[in-house]
Amino acid sequence: MSRILVVEDESAIAELISINLRHAGFEVTLASSADQAQLEVDRVLPELVVLDWMLPGQTGLALARQWRSQPRTKELPIIMLTARAEETDKVSGLDAGADDYLTKPFSTNELLARIRAVLRRKAPEALDAVVEVGGLSLDPGTRRVSREGVEVKLGPTEFRLLHFFMTHPERVHSRSQLLDRVWGDHVFIEERTVDVHVKRLREALEKVQCQRMIETVRGAGYRLTQQQNALTA
């Protein structure tokens, strides 16, 4: 379930957004100030932030700039949702680092569509769409992985790991990056734990001759490739 942080100081609007997001299958956390939002981001990095401009204390605009300047949050998807509707405001919001900008009053259906669009671009693993790579199919909704009708049995961690690989194919991911994106950056475990779960994933994929899709890039990490001629040592 994808985590969405809603930063909004008007409780009625925050609750409206929260109800609709939860109904759409998202996990929602609410923050009514920039300080509270920062605490939530420090605790657990969400998949996306819906951010108001006018907040008690620090503005949403300043908060977006702050997040973009920090390595941990520089890629955090942000949608600004604000009553500031002038063209100069929109330009300022986007220049500050927002991935999208929606003005109030707003349609909850449009907000949901924009959230899904931003996640497709920046965090496709957060969506529940079926993913197919090299004949391998993964369905997050049913938690099934298969190839040509043959089902692959995976544990929860191996399933999340494969989902991340399949939604980011042909990219090299370091062990620390995989820990952050698959286990969660608030979980503190040894980087070598990744090797153990990659080994288990490869062993499970042997059933459908897809184990070589998980490639070891020496000195860098792992990647999923559609070409099954990779080294697995």
Side-chain angles (χ1 to χ4, degrees):
M1 185 181 293
S2 304
R3 296 179 296 259
I4 307 293
L5 173 61
V6 177
V7 188
E8 170 61 64
D9 63 330
E10 294 187 36
S11 59
I13 295 177
E15 188 61 27
L16 173 66
I17 296 171
S18 176
I19 290 171
N20 280 273
L21 287 176
R22 289 192 173 101
H23 183 72
F26 294 102
E27 178 184 332
V28 182
T29 302
L30 300 178
S32 59
S33 68
D35 287 345
Q36 187 180 355
Q38 186 62 59
L39 286 174
E40 292 295 342
V41 167
D42 289 343
R43 185 177 64 87
V44 180
L45 197 64
E47 271 73 36
L48 182 142
V49 178
V50 177
L51 180 63
D52 190 14
W53 183 316
M54 303 304 295
L55 295 169
Q58 189 180 27
T59 67
L61 193 72
L63 190 57
R65 289 198 185 102
Q66 177 179 309
W67 285 337
R68 287 291 176 256
S69 69
Q70 298 173 352
R72 179 172 173 267
T73 51
K74 67 179 180 180
E75 299 296 333
L76 178 62
I78 300 171
I79 296 179
M80 293 209 74
L81 179 63
T82 173
R84 301 187 64 141
E86 297 294 326
E87 181 182 356
T88 54
D89 295 328
K90 295 177 183 178
V91 170
S92 295
L94 294 170
D95 282 348
D99 298 285
D100 202 351
Y101 192 104
L102 184 60
T103 58
K104 302 174 184 176
F106 64 97
S107 157
T108 54
N109 286 335
E110 182 180 0
L111 175 60
L112 286 168
R114 287 174 181 258
I115 287 172
R116 287 190 291 265
V118 170
L119 288 175
R120 279 196 299 272
R121 295 197 305 268
K122 301 198 68 175
E125 75 282 359
L127 298 173
D128 287 337
V130 175
V131 187
E132 293 189 7
V133 178
L136 192 64
S137 176
L138 182 148
D139 187 341
T142 61
R143 311 289 291 183
R144 289 180 178 173
V145 176
S146 62
R147 183 175 186 234
E148 297 178 352
V150 179
E151 188 170 345
V152 179
K153 299 295 184 182
L154 295 177
T157 301
E158 287 72 40
F159 184 91
R160 292 196 304 270
L161 184 60
L162 180 60
H163 190 198
F164 180 76
F165 277 136
M166 291 180 67
T167 51
H168 299 82
E170 307 297 344
R171 302 184 196 177
V172 178
H173 307 283
S174 68
R175 292 177 178 85
S176 62
Q177 289 172 333
L178 290 170
L179 284 174
D180 286 350
R181 301 299 297 274
V182 177
W183 279 261
D185 70 338
H186 60 299
V187 177
F188 299 99
I189 56 179
E190 293 290 332
E191 289 189 359
R192 288 294 174 181
T193 300
V194 175
D195 300 336
V196 174
H197 288 282
V198 167
K199 182 176 183 292
R200 290 177 184 170
L201 176 57
R202 283 174 172 154
E203 290 172 349
L205 292 175
E206 285 182 8
K207 181 178 180 180
V208 290
Q209 291 78 51
C210 289
Q211 70 274 18
R212 291 183 179 272
M213 291 177 70
I214 310 297
E215 177 183 0
T216 299
V217 181
R218 299 190 187 281
Y222 298 100
R223 70 178 166 206
L224 182 136
T225 176
Q226 297 188 52
Q227 304 297 321
Q228 297 193 47
N229 58 356
L231 292 175
T232 57

